[in-house]
Amino acid sequence: MRLLLMSLFAALSLAPAAQAADDAPPAQVEAWPLTQTGAVGSSIFLQDRAAARATDALLARFSGKPPEGLIGWIVVPNGEDQLVRFLLGDPAAPRPGYDILVDKNGLAGAVTEAAGAALPDDHLVRYLARNTAASGIGALRCAARYNAVVLDDPDSDGWLVWLLASTTDANKVPMGGHYRFHVSADGRTLEKREQLSGGCLDLDRRQAQQGGQTVGLMTNVIVAPQPLEVHVFLSLLNRLPIYVMAGDKLWGVQGALIREVDTSKKR
């Protein structure tokens, strides 16, 4: 395993990271303690999975086509589950359309017509925060489609919004091109934008297999001294270990668990 890991490290060292279009070095981003990073990455995964499973259920209900007037969705925590609300109408005044509860195991329940003609205030601000972040993504776009995740900011009364580069290719892992945004409590003001990679980088998940063993994928981070929540998310999403070179150290990310890898030990 160590030899396989070090061969991945050597390959990474020979491959320069993709840079932003203007070649300007990206700014350093906020990095949380490892346990918190793991917890946030897990929350991102659960919300992203819920949105995907609910979308599949909604399309199945409507014979593969989005219902008329659909303008987006929000995901609202509901205990250990996630409530996915699909919204209809005018983007300036969204109204609830369809609700799907996705349980903690990722199982989507029945599609139900949402009650009420207006969104509750706490649901509306989630929608506004998502749109505010989307309006500030910037020039570096590494995917044709981005998925959004909105969570409470643990350090303020505002919101954290992630725009995550996504793909429909089962073998592609978008390791770069993800963003984190800090948005005001009312969802209307973009307070900070953080680019979570030095540039675009797509990896082939088949490279995680070597010699019949699952070794993992290898990447590097230049915007932080440690792995970030997106690496936790990608590890959970792809069910693979991800090894990250950051801050002159090698880190292993296995789901929510992040640990420093001791490369000094000999086989």
Side-chain angles (χ1 to χ4, degrees):
M1 179 63 73
R2 173 176 161 78
L3 291 176
L4 290 170
L5 181 59
M6 295 312 293
S7 70
L8 284 174
F9 172 65
L12 175 69
S13 301
L14 294 172
Q19 295 297 314
D22 58 5
D23 287 327
Q28 293 292 291
V29 304
E30 180 180 2
W32 297 301
L34 297 181
T35 301
Q36 184 178 354
T37 299
V40 172
S42 297
S43 295
I44 293 172
F45 167 72
L46 291 175
Q47 189 174 128
D48 181 76
R49 182 181 67 178
R53 299 286 172 83
T55 299
D56 289 343
L58 186 74
L59 291 176
R61 162 79 178 273
F62 288 93
S63 303
K65 296 181 179 180
E68 185 176 353
L70 183 68
I71 60 172
W73 67 86
I74 57 172
V75 183
V76 182
N78 185 17
E80 292 186 322
D81 304 330
Q82 309 277 335
L83 174 64
V84 183
R85 309 205 77 182
F86 291 91
L87 309 179
L88 303 175
D90 186 342
R95 56 184 175 83
Y98 303 94
D99 288 345
I100 301 174
L101 191 66
V102 180
D103 70 18
K104 64 181 181 180
N105 297 314
L107 181 63
V111 179
T112 61
E113 292 191 10
L119 285 174
D121 288 345
D122 59 325
H123 292 192
L124 177 60
V125 293
R126 288 177 180 271
Y127 175 75
L128 294 174
R130 170 183 173 152
N131 288 352
T132 296
S135 69
I137 189 172
L140 179 66
R141 302 198 181 199
C142 300
R145 173 183 171 185
Y146 275 78
N147 294 335
V149 168
V150 181
L151 297 176
D152 291 318
D153 187 339
D155 300 318
S156 77
D157 62 352
W159 303 94
L160 291 177
V161 183
W162 286 264
L163 294 183
L164 305 166
S166 66
T167 179
T168 57
D169 186 338
N171 289 316
K172 183 185 292 186
V173 180
M175 197 66 69
H178 310 292
Y179 291 88
R180 182 205 297 154
F181 301 85
H182 299 249
V183 179
S184 61
D186 65 2
R188 298 180 184 274
T189 302
L190 179 58
E191 297 177 340
K192 187 178 181 181
R193 168 185 173 276
E194 295 178 288
Q195 182 179 310
L196 300 182
S197 65
C200 301
L201 177 63
D202 291 332
L203 298 182
D204 190 329
R205 74 186 320 275
R206 291 169 292 192
Q207 294 175 342
Q209 305 292 328
Q210 291 198 11
Q213 298 184 56
T214 299
V215 181
L217 295 175
M218 192 83 177
T219 188
N220 62 350
V221 173
I222 62 174
V223 297
Q226 64 176 58
L228 298 169
E229 67 276 10
V230 291
H231 301 109
V232 174
F233 161 70
L234 290 170
S235 175
L236 289 167
L237 180 65
N238 294 282
R239 300 180 182 180
L240 289 172
I242 295 177
Y243 293 94
V244 179
M245 281 298 303
D248 296 324
K249 295 179 180 179
L250 178 62
W251 305 83
V253 180
Q254 180 75 56
L257 178 63
I258 305 171
R259 61 183 176 84
E260 184 181 343
V261 177
D262 185 357
T263 59
S264 66
K265 294 180 180 180
K266 295 184 178 181
R267 186 171 181 268

